[in-house]
Amino acid sequence: MSAPARKRRPYAPRVPMAERREQLLDAALTIIDRDGYDGVSIDAIAREVGVTRPVVYGAFDGLGPLLTALLDRQQQRAITQLYGALPLTALASTPLGIVERAVPALHAMVLADPVTWRAILRSPANVPDVVRERIEGDRTRVRGTLQMMVAAVLPGADAEVLAHAVLALLDHFGQLVLAEPEQFSAERLTAAARAMIGAWIP
């Protein structure tokens, strides 16, 4: 009697390397979002994608290079999204006009890519120092942009202090949208920002 044929382990379909790398980065981001940085490993990433460890190592030299690539990608993605939502070409507008353009755009931005913005606004557990430093560096850049915007639309105001206040407000609005998007609609947040602008500016 012949021995039963052994089932061969299914292999992941071949995909272009650039696409495979994106799959692995997406998987790492999903794991970090769900389980925190303690949950991310080569094994966890391979399981998430449904591939073997050698497939992961064929795309990246190890976990460190993979996470560095993920950090680079997410940093560029977040900055591109944010600067795309801020009305940088409307600096001749009134503060109210800027609010009415920016708040709905920022609201849509957060909802379109919640995983990216959760990682920034609601940092998962045990964030490595390198990640925290990148986030803080980007916050400093964004605050500088906000300071430039404030100075353009409110000549004579303390643009530096107001830039800190605006960034804090955007952080909090973003967290509200992530937590309860239906309750904190773009219309509601825009109305609140409009009321604050009216209270600050006679």
Side-chain angles (χ1 to χ4, degrees):
M1 183 175 178
S2 60
R6 294 178 61 185
K7 289 185 177 180
R8 300 185 67 182
R9 183 171 182 174
Y11 288 93
R14 289 186 179 277
V15 299
M17 182 55 70
E19 182 180 341
R20 178 66 78 199
R21 287 170 64 90
E22 286 300 306
Q23 287 179 346
L24 297 170
L25 295 178
D26 288 342
L29 184 60
T30 297
I31 293 165
I32 292 167
D33 185 53
R34 183 183 65 222
D35 305 325
Y37 281 90
D38 286 346
V40 69
S41 66
I42 293 294
D43 285 332
I45 293 167
R47 284 194 302 271
E48 191 74 25
V49 178
V51 299
T52 60
R53 287 170 56 92
V55 171
V56 182
Y57 281 109
F60 295 97
D61 291 336
L63 185 60
L66 188 153
L67 292 177
T68 297
L70 176 62
L71 186 55
D72 290 342
R73 188 190 75 169
Q74 294 306 112
Q75 181 181 37
Q76 184 58 49
R77 180 176 292 179
I79 288 295
T80 300
Q81 291 176 4
L82 182 60
Y83 282 11
L86 289 174
L88 299 178
T89 59
L91 296 185
S93 179
T94 64
L96 185 59
I98 289 178
V99 162
E100 291 179 340
R101 290 184 57 177
V103 174
L106 293 167
H107 187 277
M109 175 196 75
V110 171
L111 290 185
D113 193 358
V115 176
T116 291
W117 291 101
R118 271 197 297 270
I120 294 169
L121 299 175
R122 292 168 23 184
S123 297
N126 299 325
V127 178
D129 288 343
V130 64
V131 177
R132 199 179 303 280
E133 288 168 5
R134 288 257 199 134
I135 291 174
E136 287 306 312
D138 287 340
R139 287 174 60 85
T140 298
R141 288 171 56 193
V142 171
R143 192 161 50 241
T145 299
L146 293 173
Q147 183 172 338
M148 175 194 70
M149 294 176 67
V150 170
V153 298
L154 292 174
D158 191 331
E160 183 179 7
V161 171
L162 288 177
H164 278 272
V166 171
L167 184 57
L169 183 64
L170 292 178
D171 277 350
H172 192 62
F173 274 13
Q175 292 184 43
L176 292 176
V177 173
L178 288 170
E180 299 180 87
E182 293 183 1
Q183 182 176 352
F184 295 100
S185 65
E187 294 77 13
R188 185 179 181 189
L189 294 180
T190 301
R194 191 185 300 118
M196 284 186 282
I197 287 290
W200 290 347
I201 304 172

